[in-house]
Amino acid sequence: MRILRMRVSDSADVELDANQIDARPITLYDGPVESFLDSPLGTLNPGTRLYGRVWTGGPQVVVRYYEAHPPDGDVVPICAVARLGKGQLRKRPDSKPGTAILDYSGASVFVVNAFR
């Protein structure tokens, strides 16, 4: 992460699903996800695609990112999670099993040192 000029707790804005940018509400599904970086994160510029996985089993959606695809560079491994304050990654009660309906398409992505 130092090569990318990132430290634990660095953050940026992200669209959770590159196929649902600016949609309200959005639906996320258990499994792989492609997100879109809206602001710089270390040396990663806006427009970088983040690839990871979504879990919808609990009251909050969990999104973990494993790699970044900059528009003008090579694929790089990352360790980051999507978060929002005040329970905003809490899925709506009308979400069906294996899905999460969220009121907003955007969140913040935070660099972490490991997944727990």
Side-chain angles (χ1 to χ4, degrees):
M1 301 300 276
R2 279 185 297 153
I3 292 171
L4 296 174
R5 294 192 182 122
M6 288 185 218
R7 294 180 310 272
V8 171
S9 81
D10 284 352
S11 66
D13 296 328
V14 67
E15 287 288 332
L16 291 168
D17 186 338
N19 296 310
Q20 300 181 71
I21 292 174
D22 292 329
R24 289 179 79 174
I26 67 166
T27 303
L28 297 178
Y29 299 89
D30 280 327
V33 68
E34 176 186 14
S35 298
F36 184 87
L37 204 55
D38 278 335
S39 60
L41 180 62
T43 61
L44 300 175
N45 292 320
T48 296
R49 302 296 175 134
L50 301 178
Y51 292 90
R53 186 159 188 83
V54 174
W55 288 269
T56 64
Q60 296 273 13
V61 176
V62 175
V63 183
R64 295 179 178 168
Y65 296 107
Y66 302 101
E67 61 184 34
H69 294 225
D72 58 352
D74 296 325
V75 175
V76 291
I78 63 168
C79 192
V81 297
R83 292 188 182 134
L84 272 181
K86 301 181 183 176
Q88 291 182 18
L89 279 184
R90 183 172 301 279
K91 61 187 190 180
R92 289 183 10 181
D94 53 335
S95 301
K96 301 212 182 319
T99 68
I101 300 172
L102 302 176
D103 289 325
Y104 303 99
S105 64
S108 295
V109 60
F110 287 84
V111 175
V112 296
N113 61 355
F115 296 124
R116 308 236 187 268

